[in-house]
Amino acid sequence: MEIKPLFYAWVPTYLRYAILTLLTFVALCVNGVFNGITIDMYSDLGVYAEPFTMAGNALFIGMGTSIIFMIRLLGRLPIKTLALTGFIMQLLMNWVCATTSDPTITVAATFVLGFTKIFTVGPIYLAWLGIWSKKMETARLYPFFYFMVLAGLYFITWFTAYLTNLYSWRYAYYAMFILIAISIILAVIFIEHHPLRRKIPLYQLDMPGLLLLITSLMLINYVAVYGKVEDWFSSAAITTACFGAVITLLLFIRRELLLKRPLLNLQLFKKTNFSLGLVLLVLLSVFTPATFQAAYSGSVLHFESIRNAELNLYLIPGIIAGCLMSFFWYRHKYNGQLLIIIGFAAMVGYHMLMYGSFVTDLNIADLWLPSLVKGFGLALLYISIGLYATAGFPFPHVLKTVGVIVLVRSFLAPGIISGLYSYFLYAERTRHLSKLATHIDANEPQVLAQGNISRFYQNIQQQASLTALKEISGTIIIFGLSVITILMLIHIYRKINLTALHDTGRNL
């Protein structure tokens, strides 16, 4: 596939970089549902939180499946058409999310937004790849690209929460409309139209396979989000969804094995580094549970949405440090597997710092160091695992592997792990609350001395939450140290084997 310049030749270089940076930020970070305002949205609309969780997952399902499909679209539509389509759909779907009161429509809109935003991200990614490396080496681009992804998402979370705190959650969408409209105008003026010499025929686009994969993933999404609410397999809807997910997934696998031009070549999973990379992404999700931090900052510290968003800003300096370290690490061609170990060590360090900070009277400034370490570890692991998993693949297959990585890293693994954390946190908190409650009598002098019995019971609930969080955090630390030990042993074993092989070849 020929990669052509994104902008017209008359556009000055400095202006290209500025426009491309803005387009990248809008394409990657402007989503239909924003973490900083979801609480205000479902509270204002009078609906449950689960549809918005499902909508966030649907966004990544759309993105992952679209990336798998992208290589075909690049051979069917010009890059300007793709970029404008992506931005226009972003504008329309954000408008739908801002105006609808039906959660089902919100889920559908975020899925469509996630699928179509890759139309824009694809050409932008290729443009940055050509800028950062003439040899098209992704190791040069990943540190910058993931800085835009991670730092941009945390910034947009704070920005939307800030506007919501000042005015209303709808004002956050007004700001997004302006950003997208500016991006559309810039794309129309500056992006060059390159007519395709030879278009891929429509029959070569595996639409049935794509629909089967999307259906299976959306059913898994429904089960993961609503399983706890509907009491898992006691619900006919959950049982039906599980059965449907398995059937559609098996049909998808069968089709991909028999098709001449499959949507996803399943032979990719035979590559050791790709399969191990997916396992590492699942392990990464163990250390980044959103449920865990939300339970502490919300239930114990009683932070508002704007305070939680401000707390996420502390991650950005750590992300910058991690991206810079990764750039120079790969530039000097150091061992990427060692960088993975350093990243997991940083995540374990974050949980160790948090374990020592579990008290009821912390303020936001006390959490800057754990957040910085977490941001540093996230940047290292996103970059190093991504490069490790895609190493050795030719360009057409790289896009398909990246699509699978997005699905595992952003939807499947976090969905499963967050569900487990939510269950264990609830179970442990209930157990500790019951244990503490057995030793309390409203007539005891210690209780009466509080003056406010309801406040005393609230303190007991806080202590139960803290104890549960500490137990789970301690388990994560032990698990993390075990993972680091195993990874170090594998690294040492491989290094010894390579040295022995080199010595044998030299002696021969």
Side-chain angles (χ1 to χ4, degrees):
M1 185 186 69
E2 183 183 357
I3 299 177
K4 298 179 180 179
L6 186 65
F7 296 106
Y8 288 105
W10 55 265
V11 182
T13 302
Y14 68 89
L15 189 58
R16 294 184 190 187
Y17 293 162
I19 294 172
L20 195 54
T21 301
L22 176 62
L23 296 182
T24 306
F25 174 76
V26 174
L28 289 173
C29 303
V30 178
N31 303 318
V33 175
F34 304 92
N35 291 333
I37 64 174
T38 50
I39 295 177
D40 299 88
M41 286 181 68
Y42 63 71
S43 299
D44 186 40
L45 296 174
V47 297
Y48 292 110
E50 281 74 21
F52 291 90
T53 304
M54 191 173 177
N57 292 336
L59 176 80
F60 293 113
I61 292 173
M63 289 176 62
T65 52
S66 182
I67 294 172
I68 295 172
F69 196 58
M70 191 65 196
I71 193 66
R72 293 291 182 184
L73 289 177
L74 288 172
R76 178 68 192 179
L77 298 171
I79 56 174
K80 186 166 187 173
T81 302
L82 286 171
L84 284 174
T85 301
F87 279 129
I88 291 170
M89 292 304 294
Q90 265 191 310
L91 184 65
L92 292 176
M93 294 304 105
N94 273 281
W95 178 80
V96 170
C97 291
T99 55
T100 186
S101 57
D102 187 345
T104 306
I105 295 177
T106 301
V107 174
T110 50
F111 168 78
V112 174
L113 190 152
F115 191 90
T116 54
K117 77 185 298 185
I118 299 300
F119 298 178
T120 303
V121 174
I124 288 175
Y125 176 86
L126 294 176
W128 278 121
L129 186 58
I131 291 171
W132 279 91
S133 174
K134 301 302 180 185
K135 297 180 180 180
M136 312 303 284
E137 296 173 340
T138 54
R140 296 287 185 93
L141 173 62
Y142 266 38
F144 170 78
F145 203 74
Y146 275 111
F147 162 72
M148 293 292 293
V149 172
L150 294 172
L153 286 174
Y154 287 123
F155 174 79
I156 208 76
T157 299
W158 168 80
F159 183 63
T160 53
Y162 175 76
L163 291 177
T164 301
N165 188 58
L166 282 181
Y167 307 107
S168 163
W169 60 268
R170 297 187 189 276
Y171 279 80
Y173 281 101
Y174 299 154
M176 299 305 109
F177 295 154
I178 295 171
L179 283 175
I180 300 171
I182 292 172
S183 299
I184 292 173
I185 294 170
L186 292 175
V188 169
I189 296 173
F190 295 106
I191 294 181
E192 185 176 0
H193 176 67
H194 298 283
L196 295 179
R197 297 178 183 177
R198 182 177 176 273
K199 295 182 179 180
I200 293 178
L202 285 175
Y203 72 85
Q204 292 187 13
L205 303 178
D206 184 18
M207 298 302 296
L210 181 66
L211 291 175
L212 284 172
L213 179 60
I214 290 171
T215 303
S216 179
L217 292 172
M218 289 300 290
L219 289 172
I220 293 172
N221 185 14
Y222 175 79
V223 172
V225 173
Y226 283 93
K228 180 182 175 182
V229 177
E230 299 187 13
D231 196 18
W232 298 104
F233 294 104
S234 299
S235 166
I238 294 296
T239 305
T240 304
C242 284
F243 182 76
V246 172
I247 294 299
T248 50
L249 184 60
L250 290 175
L251 288 174
F252 170 75
I253 293 172
R254 180 180 180 274
R255 179 178 177 83
E256 299 311 293
L257 291 173
L258 299 177
L259 205 63
K260 181 180 178 181
R261 298 180 183 88
L263 175 70
L264 178 62
N265 189 348
L266 300 181
Q267 299 298 321
L268 298 176
F269 291 92
K270 292 185 177 180
K271 288 275 288 185
T272 304
N273 60 302
F274 181 57
S275 301
L276 287 179
L278 296 181
V279 173
L280 290 172
L281 290 172
V282 175
L283 294 178
L284 170 60
S285 298
V286 175
F287 302 97
T288 57
T291 307
F292 188 77
Q293 184 170 334
Y296 179 54
S297 59
S299 302
V300 179
L301 299 180
H302 301 295
F303 283 173
E304 300 174 348
S305 298
I306 183 63
R307 296 293 168 256
N308 283 322
E310 288 175 358
L311 179 61
N312 285 331
L313 290 179
Y314 285 125
L315 276 76
I316 295 179
I319 292 169
I320 295 173
C323 291
L324 286 174
M325 180 176 175
S326 299
F327 177 79
F328 290 107
W329 189 277
Y330 286 106
R331 186 176 182 181
H332 290 91
K333 301 186 184 302
Y334 296 143
N335 193 309
Q337 296 174 28
L338 191 58
L339 196 64
I340 295 175
I341 296 173
I342 296 172
F344 276 112
M347 297 308 297
V348 173
Y350 158 73
H351 282 279
M352 287 180 174
L353 290 170
M354 288 299 296
Y355 186 86
S357 303
F358 281 137
V359 293
T360 58
D361 58 350
L362 281 184
N363 58 52
I364 191 171
D366 295 321
L367 297 173
W368 71 270
L369 182 58
S371 298
L372 189 147
V373 174
K374 180 182 178 182
F376 177 74
L378 277 177
L380 291 185
L381 290 173
Y382 269 57
I383 295 166
S384 59
I385 296 177
L387 289 171
Y388 175 74
T390 57
F393 287 104
F395 179 76
H397 292 307
V398 166
L399 283 181
K400 295 180 182 293
T401 58
V402 169
V404 177
I405 286 171
V406 169
L407 290 174
V408 173
R409 184 190 64 207
S410 303
F411 163 57
L412 288 173
I416 295 171
I417 300 299
S418 294
L420 290 174
Y421 277 129
S422 180
Y423 169 77
F424 285 120
L425 184 60
Y426 173 78
E428 290 302 302
R429 185 165 49 194
T430 303
R431 183 171 68 86
H432 287 292
L433 186 61
S434 300
K435 186 180 293 186
L436 290 170
T438 57
H439 301 287
I440 298 173
D441 188 339
N443 296 318
E444 289 184 359
Q446 187 181 11
V447 177
L448 295 173
Q450 298 288 326
N452 187 342
I453 296 178
S454 62
R455 176 61 180 171
F456 179 77
Y457 282 106
Q458 186 179 356
N459 291 338
I460 296 299
Q461 289 179 334
Q462 279 188 338
Q463 292 300 323
S465 298
L466 272 178
T467 307
L469 286 167
K470 268 206 165 185
E471 284 189 350
I472 296 173
S473 182
T475 305
I476 293 174
I477 291 170
I478 295 171
F479 177 78
L481 292 174
S482 303
V483 169
I484 293 171
T485 303
I486 293 171
L487 291 176
M488 288 182 67
L489 290 173
I490 292 172
H491 176 69
I492 293 170
Y493 174 77
R494 286 181 174 178
K495 194 171 182 180
I496 292 172
N497 274 6
L498 286 173
T499 303
L501 183 63
H502 175 72
D503 291 340
T504 303
R506 184 177 56 190
N507 292 335
L508 289 175

